[in-house]
Amino acid sequence: MSSSLSVYLLDPKAARALVGSRDDQLLDVIRDRFGADMASDDRYFSSEIEEGAPTAYEALRAVVHGGPYVEDKHVAFQYGYAYKRLCSLTGSLLDNSSFCPFRGDWLEVVDEGLRALRITAVSVAEFGYGGLPEGVPSYDLPRCGEWTHEQCLEALEQFERTKRDGHAPPLEPEVVDAVMDVIGWLRHVEARPGFGVVGFVS
């Protein structure tokens, strides 16, 4: 079974602040922009919805209003995807071609490549271990994590230091491609004060 990592350039604090914001205007914007996408998701999860899971819009409204949430943990995935939808609205999707799809321990393999280049301030595997903002129900997928602006700048400085030192460990070509994707994300963050990266594994 394959997974995917989607990463967004945005202000993580601002994204978390949308949870419980009770911003009905935001809900209207999302319904207008993602209506077809949410309808498609509802068809895909129709059996789960018949068994009590909220629809995509119901989950989105619950997240924006801070509840109420369906208590069954097996339907919590809808709230995770609702938060992802908020991030996709307020952020910019970054190039994830090396991570969509991926299999097995690929994120850990890329982290090994980052560490070989002495980049330790960020970890792509952490996107698969993190959780949703406080208060949002979470169970299994999607998983979510974030890198702060400061972490990204530190990682970029570590990369530049590695280059200055002439440190070039042998890496598999596909790992090099993935690492360079990560460096690209960091450079986007560098150009946007206060911004960071939020990633979702699903």
Side-chain angles (χ1 to χ4, degrees), residues 12-67:
K13 291 181 181 178
R16 289 196 305 273
L18 297 176
V19 177
S21 65
R22 308 185 72 83
D23 188 340
D24 287 322
Q25 186 175 4
L26 173 66
L27 287 172
D28 290 340
V29 170
I30 295 177
R31 184 158 48 186
D32 289 343
R33 186 172 299 185
F34 296 105
D37 180 54
M38 289 192 289
S40 176
D41 281 359
D42 286 348
R43 287 191 294 273
Y44 185 80
F45 292 119
S46 58
S47 60
E48 288 86 351
I49 291 170
E50 288 174 3
E51 294 174 3
T55 64
Y57 182 76
E58 289 168 346
L60 184 68
R61 191 179 193 285
V63 170
V64 170
H65 279 260

Side-chain angles (χ1 to χ4, degrees), residues 66-169:
Y69 299 110
V70 178
E71 293 187 8
D72 183 353
K73 67 180 181 180
H74 295 99
V75 305
F77 68 92
Q78 286 286 59
Y79 303 117
Y81 287 120
Y83 183 63
K84 181 180 178 182
R85 201 162 265 125
L86 289 174
C87 290
S88 69
L89 176 72
T90 58
S92 301
L93 181 65
L94 296 170
D95 180 12
N96 66 340
S97 53
S98 294
F99 299 92
C100 185
F102 72 85
R103 290 181 178 274
D105 61 351
W106 175 238
L107 300 184
E108 286 78 10
V109 170
V110 176
D111 274 354
E112 289 174 8
L114 290 170
R115 287 193 294 271
L117 291 167
R118 303 172 181 166
I119 300 171
T120 59
V122 296
S123 158
V124 289
E126 285 182 1
F127 291 133
Y129 302 142
L132 297 168
E134 185 177 357
V136 179
S138 175
Y139 179 71
D140 199 23
L141 299 176
R143 300 187 185 103
C144 175
E146 63 182 50
W147 298 345
T148 66
H149 187 76
E150 293 73 23
Q151 284 176 299
C152 292
L153 293 186
E154 182 181 355
L156 199 53
E157 173 54 32
Q158 289 171 337
F159 175 67
E160 297 297 342
R161 189 180 307 127
T162 293
K163 287 201 303 182
R164 288 195 300 269
D165 292 346
H167 179 66

Side-chain angles (χ1 to χ4, degrees), residues 4 124 144 166 172 179:
S4 66
V124 289
C144 175
E172 293 296 326
V179 167

